[in-house]
């Protein structure tokens, strides 16, 4: 099987899904996670469609990546405008990104009914735009939009579009099932024709899941000779979503013999999938192939010892290969190794016994609703507490929050905290725009004098999720806070039946971790943040 390039579209196409939103800093964390996984190309979006994208490209320009190249995404030139004079193309040309992906029409229906240009002008729009960016030193990919629907209507024209891109110097043409309605046999037939007509053209595949076949269509395309696969993490995207890159990676590598990722990178698959869900404040799908919590869970009554003795009888792959685990027995083993490694990274001395205690503690907390994938700060504090090298910032006597709504519609919030630092008592009251903000201000007022680094710590994100899965105890609230001190970014978590109590716990972890990191010499940079 030829080398297959992995192309991630989470940050552009994936954001088209309902309720999907990430800040520039969060997107940067996703890019690093994908780079650590070993993805080859990452589509970051259009360089300056809005201030957020502008900020993201600014951040990306200063970063170094191991495997990933950053791709800027845009459109072919507008009709009847010279490529040099097209604003969008100029922005792409000026972007630092070495690779540009242009979306262009390849279906006569869209050319005539949507863009309303002649078929010839559409071909010129494709070739002029690509030639212009190639002259500017860019490597260019064409996303041939609606390719398979266009091919069904007029195979000759769809091929002309791909050929025009190739002639203009495109590195690759990506065949897109934009409406997501194709089935594997259609993909197979169209691809055979394309390969025959344009045997030297490097191809990619971009599918959507409207027929439930996005992954299957991608695999069929690889069989048919495509050498780049596009998708999004966990299949997020418009409507029913894009092809799920997580599933595709595992299928290609473990079932189709493609050498995509080194084993230690493939073992990050589960962690990466959950990390992106956590950042998006989405509950990871427990039934997701390969990486879901239940992907390797065995039916009750099946003896765990039997499974570990002959796991191939019940499991299609060894779950550890993708960083997942089957059940308690195996999870404890893989869990201990992970914890020893995390402790080493945090500079905490550990041994088997320590790792076992942390595993037990994490299991207990997960049962209560904790999830540490996006709460690396809280996880490191947990390890510190377990190892005995933990210093609390303060000792809590009590806190209280008052929220008052008045007749004029105004809501006032006030928090009072009562804490001890060494043998000094601090009682502070502060107002805020909400309970967490008021508690944060009161707490900073009390300890900011002693710990000036606290002023650099900013809470950048606050996410709340109601968990109804917790057994027997009714709904509990999980709060995730992302914080930054300008150099590093970390996550913290709190879980409680009470929203404000959960927020308080996450807030305290967030500040304590920030202070710990401020003192330790090994402080992780934004590059490695969020990896717990
Ligand atoms: Zn798409």
């Amino acid at each position: 099987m030829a080398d297959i390039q992995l192309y991630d579209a989470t940050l552009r196409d994936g954001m088209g899904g309902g309720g999907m939103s990430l800040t520039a800093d969060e997107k940067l964390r996703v890019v690093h996670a994908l780079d650590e996984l070993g993805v080859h190309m990452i589509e970051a979006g259009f360089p300056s469609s809005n201030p957020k994208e502008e900020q993201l490209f600014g951040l990306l320009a200063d970063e170094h990546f191991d495997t990933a190249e950053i791709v800027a995404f845009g459109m072919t030139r507008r009709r009847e405008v010279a490529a040099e004079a097209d604003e969008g193309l100029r922005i792409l040309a000026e972007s630092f990104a070495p690779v540009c992906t242009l979306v262009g029409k390849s279906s006569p229906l869209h050319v005539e009914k949507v863009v309303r240009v002649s078929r010839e002008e559409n071909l010129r729009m494709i070739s002029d735009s690509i030639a212009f960016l190639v002259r500017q030193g860019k490597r260019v990919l064409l996303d041939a939009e609606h390719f398979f629907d266009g091919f069904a209507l007029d195979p000759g024209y769809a091929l002309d579009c791909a050929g025009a891109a190739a002639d203009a110097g495109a590195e690759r043409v990506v065949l897109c099932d934009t409406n997501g309605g194709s089935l594997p046999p259609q993909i197979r037939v169209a691809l055979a024709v394309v390969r025959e007509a344009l045997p030297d053209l490097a191809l990619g595949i971009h599918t959507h899941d409207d027929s439930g076949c996005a992954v299957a269509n991608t695999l069929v395309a690889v069989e048919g000779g495509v050498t780049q696969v596009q998708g999004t993490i966990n299949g997020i995207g418009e409507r029913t979503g894009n092809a799920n890159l997580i599933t595709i990676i595992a299928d290609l590598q473990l079932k189709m013999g493609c050498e995509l990722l080194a084993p230690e990178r493939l073992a990050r698959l589960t962690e990466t999938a959950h990390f992106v869900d956590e950042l998006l404040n989405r509950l990871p799908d427990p039934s997701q192939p390969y990486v879901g919590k239940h992907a390797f869970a065995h039916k009750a009554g099946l003896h765990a010892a039997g499974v570990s003795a002959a796991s191939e009888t019940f499991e299609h792959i060894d779950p550890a290969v993708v960083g997942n685990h089957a059940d308690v027995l195996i999870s404890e083993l893989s869990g201990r190794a992970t914890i020893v490694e995390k402790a080493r990274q945090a500079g905490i001395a550990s041994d088997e016994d320590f790792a076992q205690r942390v595993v037990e503690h994490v299991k207990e907390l997960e049962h209560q609703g904790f999830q540490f994938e996006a709460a690396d700060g809280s996880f490191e504090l947990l390890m510190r507490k377990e190892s005995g090298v933990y210093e609390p910032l303060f000792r809590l006597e009590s806190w209280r929050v008052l929220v008052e709504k008045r007749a004029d519609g105004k809501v006032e919030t006030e928090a009072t905290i009562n804490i001890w630092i060494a043998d000094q008592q601090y009682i502070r009251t502060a107002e805020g725009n909400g309970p967490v903000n008021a508690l944060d201000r009161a707490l900073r007022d009390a300890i900011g004098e002693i710990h000036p680094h606290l002023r650099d710590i900013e809470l950048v994100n606050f996410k709340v999720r109601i968990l109804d899965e917790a057994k027997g105890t009714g709904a509990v609230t999980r709060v995730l806070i992302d914080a930054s001190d300008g150099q590093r970014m970390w996550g913290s978590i709190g879980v409680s039946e009470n929203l404000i109590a959960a927020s308080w716990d996450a807030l305290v972890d967030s500040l304590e971790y920030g202070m710990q990191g401020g003192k330790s010499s090994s402080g992780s940079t934004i590059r490695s943040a969020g990896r717990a």
Side-chain angles (χ1 to χ4, degrees), residues 13-18 178 208-210 235-242:
D13 222 7
M15 292 296 111
T178 310
H208 284 258
D209 205 32
D210 299 72
I236 62 166
E238 256 185 299
R239 309 186 307 276
T240 56
N242 285 54

Side-chain angles (χ1 to χ4, degrees), residues 41-107:
M41 287 191 180
I42 299 172
E43 193 174 271
F46 180 61
S48 73
S49 57
N50 59 49
K52 208 157 120 179
E53 303 290 285
E54 206 173 339
Q55 192 196 349
L56 174 64
F57 275 81
L59 289 170
L60 288 170
D62 296 334
E63 299 283 320
H64 167 79
F65 301 104
D66 213 20
T67 62
E69 291 185 295
I70 301 300
V71 180
F73 181 90
M75 290 184 289
T76 52
R77 68 163 172 80
R78 286 162 296 148
R79 59 182 175 177
E80 281 131 37
V81 171
E84 295 72 16
D86 187 272
E87 171 77 4
L89 289 176
R90 196 183 50 72
I91 289 169
L92 289 176
E94 285 167 6
S95 153
F96 82 93
V99 184
C100 298
T101 294
L102 292 178
V103 60
K105 307 284 173 200
S106 54
S107 159

Side-chain angles (χ1 to χ4, degrees), residues 10 12 28 33 40 66 115 119 127 197 250 262 266 433 454 486 526:
T10 305
R12 203 270 311 168
L28 181 62
H40 304 107
D66 213 20
V115 200
R119 291 177 173 216
S127 54
L266 187 63
N433 57 22
L454 206 60
I526 280 189

